[in-house]
Amino acid sequence: MALVKSTRIESIDLLRGIVMVLMALDHVRDYFHYDASLHDPTDLETTTPILFFTRFITHYCAPVFVFLAGTSAFLYGSNKTKTKLFRFLFTRGLWLILLEIGVNSLNWTFDLSYSFVVLQVIWAIGVSMLCLSFLVFLPRKLIAVIGIVLVVGHNALDPITMKGNAIESVIWYMLHQANGIPVGDATFVYFAYPVIPWIGLIALGYCLGSLYTRGYDRFLRKKWLLGLGFGSIILFFILRGINVYGDLVPWSEQDTLSKTILSFFKVTKYPPSWAYLLITMGPSLVLLHYLEYVKNYIGDILLVFGRVPLFYYFLHVFVIHVGAILGVILFNENGMALVSSISGNPIAGLAAHGYSLFTTYVIWIVIVTLLYFPCRKYMIYKINNKHKWWLSYL
């Protein structure tokens, strides 16, 4: 079957493809790097600059993923009524929440009893899309104001903390405080991605979509991207330099210069602080500007991942998890017994029998290379079957 030319915006798919590849690095580290079972890679007492950077560079994944979900929503609705856009965003948001609970948790744990359910980025995008489905009826400037208020202002809520399993506590865990609750006697649900700032970010991504409407001046769009990008980077350094607002944990002077620098860049992801979003989205917007010029073989490869993000996401977690299990079985004495004995957090359990950071990087490259082929096949299928409505949900 001949490949039908895609009408998607390549620079957006390229940026999405880049962060999808980086995301795999973080998840490979979770499952394969031996230190993942022992320490937080951003713990200044135990980390190294290369390990810290390995974690920090993957901070760009979730914000770009959520932001571009908003941009894609705008582009999807540019030739549709608000009612049709509402229906799509609302149903897709519900679908993503169901996928997070039913598929993604199983993918991460391989636990058919669902004893540990973690609500992560797919959940955050789903809830954010539900909220965006209502916001789209508002004027775009008001949507932008709401987005800015949520992103900038949510750190004022940091002092508010809840405990226990009361309904108000559970709601707060969903909105702003990463925490978990037992559900029944056998399941624990952890809200890893409190949604207030993510809702703000998807709203801002939606507003940015107006820069990509048909007929919009390309050079003016690039000026906006550069201005917003470099402005965010500069504001990050000002905000962190003042060190009184914008992140749950202020940076501090350490016993070495390198640790002090790491402390400066150790920003909070759960939930994403204003500083976190500035230093991740700023460079991403600058990169989005320059990606309009990219036309090469590497770009073509990254486009594949960027055009099938949900398919890639679920596939890459499954492949990484299976690969980690095979690694334990093949390269550890009594490997089968080790795998069967792992309980509690299966990710940390597998990583406890893992490898050096260098080997982890090699495994990452191999896995991403292998993922390219099924992703490309699925991308071609989607392009050639645009008439199948259900493909827009996958």
Side-chain angles (χ1 to χ4, degrees), residues 71-183:
T71 304
S72 297
F74 181 92
L75 296 173
Y76 177 86
S78 60
N79 60 353
K80 294 176 176 62
T81 65
K82 295 295 185 183
T83 301
K84 287 184 178 179
L85 178 57
F86 166 83
R87 187 181 302 117
F88 171 76
L89 290 174
F90 191 86
T91 55
R92 184 171 172 81
L94 288 176
W95 174 237
L96 290 176
I97 292 171
L98 290 174
L99 286 177
E100 178 73 90
I101 297 171
V103 178
N104 202 35
S105 289
L106 182 62
N107 232 3
W108 279 96
T109 64
F110 286 178
D111 177 10
L112 292 173
S113 68
Y114 288 90
S115 62
F116 186 55
V117 175
V118 185
L119 301 180
Q120 302 183 75
V121 68
I122 303 299
W123 143 270
I125 296 175
V127 175
S128 298
M129 278 190 172
L130 288 178
C131 296
L132 184 62
S133 70
F134 293 96
L135 291 176
V136 297
F137 292 102
L138 301 176
R140 196 183 310 147
K141 289 183 179 179
L142 182 55
I143 297 174
V145 170
I146 291 172
I148 291 171
V149 169
L150 293 178
V151 167
V152 174
H154 83 92
N155 282 120
L157 304 173
D158 288 343
I160 303 175
T161 58
M162 296 281 188
K163 295 181 180 180
N165 306 325
I167 185 63
E168 61 269 20
S169 297
V170 176
I171 293 173
W172 193 239
Y173 302 156
M174 293 181 184
L175 294 177
H176 199 260
Q177 178 188 341
N179 209 335
I181 58 168
V183 178

Side-chain angles (χ1 to χ4, degrees), residues 86-296:
F86 166 83
R87 187 181 302 117
F88 171 76
L89 290 174
F90 191 86
T91 55
R92 184 171 172 81
L94 288 176
W95 174 237
L96 290 176
I97 292 171
L98 290 174
L99 286 177
E100 178 73 90
I101 297 171
V103 178
N104 202 35
S105 289
L106 182 62
N107 232 3
W108 279 96
T109 64
F110 286 178
D111 177 10
L112 292 173
S113 68
Y114 288 90
S115 62
F116 186 55
V117 175
V118 185
L119 301 180
Q120 302 183 75
V121 68
I122 303 299
W123 143 270
I125 296 175
V127 175
S128 298
M129 278 190 172
L130 288 178
C131 296
L132 184 62
S133 70
F134 293 96
L135 291 176
V136 297
F137 292 102
L138 301 176
R140 196 183 310 147
K141 289 183 179 179
L142 182 55
I143 297 174
V145 170
I146 291 172
I148 291 171
V149 169
L150 293 178
V151 167
V152 174
H154 83 92
N155 282 120
L157 304 173
D158 288 343
I160 303 175
T161 58
M162 296 281 188
K163 295 181 180 180
N165 306 325
I167 185 63
E168 61 269 20
S169 297
V170 176
I171 293 173
W172 193 239
Y173 302 156
M174 293 181 184
L175 294 177
H176 199 260
Q177 178 188 341
N179 209 335
I181 58 168
V183 178
D185 297 327
T187 300
F188 188 84
V189 177
Y190 189 80
F191 301 96
Y193 277 67
V195 297
I196 287 179
W198 298 116
I199 294 169
L201 190 62
I202 202 172
L204 294 178
Y206 178 84
C207 294
L208 187 90
S210 62
L211 302 183
Y212 290 91
T213 53
R214 189 181 300 274
Y216 195 92
D217 184 80
R218 181 181 183 185
F219 295 101
L220 182 58
R221 176 173 64 249
K222 290 182 176 181
K223 282 185 177 181
W224 270 107
L225 292 174
L226 279 183
L228 291 171
F230 280 117
S232 297
I233 295 170
I234 293 170
L235 185 54
F236 166 78
F237 283 99
I238 294 173
L239 192 67
R240 285 299 267 174
I242 296 173
N243 208 27
V244 295
Y245 182 79
D247 198 272
L248 182 63
V249 181
W251 67 278
S252 60
E253 186 174 350
Q254 304 292 310
D255 54 1
T256 66
L257 177 60
S258 63
K259 283 187 177 181
T260 300
I261 294 173
L262 297 186
S263 177
F264 188 87
F265 284 98
K266 184 182 177 180
V267 284
T268 303
K269 181 179 180 179
Y270 308 104
S273 67
W274 182 20
Y276 174 97
L277 293 175
L278 285 173
I279 197 55
T280 52
M281 288 311 307
S284 299
L285 291 173
V286 174
L287 181 58
L288 188 58
H289 163 273
Y290 287 107
L291 287 176
E292 294 203 25
Y293 298 101
V294 173
K295 299 286 182 182
N296 55 38

Side-chain angles (χ1 to χ4, degrees), residues 33 35 40-55 258-259 262 357:
H33 185 224
D35 195 58
D40 180 346
T42 63
D43 184 345
L44 301 183
E45 297 302 317
T46 58
T47 193
T48 63
I50 185 62
L51 179 57
F52 183 95
F53 174 78
T54 300
R55 175 58 176 145
S258 63
K259 283 187 177 181
L262 297 186
L357 191 58

Side-chain angles (χ1 to χ4, degrees), residues 1-6 376-388 391:
M1 180 181 291
L3 176 64
V4 178
K5 182 175 176 60
S6 174
R376 184 176 186 277
K377 188 172 182 178
Y378 181 62
M379 179 196 73
I380 294 173
Y381 178 79
K382 284 191 70 173
I383 293 174
N384 287 319
N385 292 273
K386 292 181 179 179
H387 60 284
K388 296 181 178 180
L391 285 173

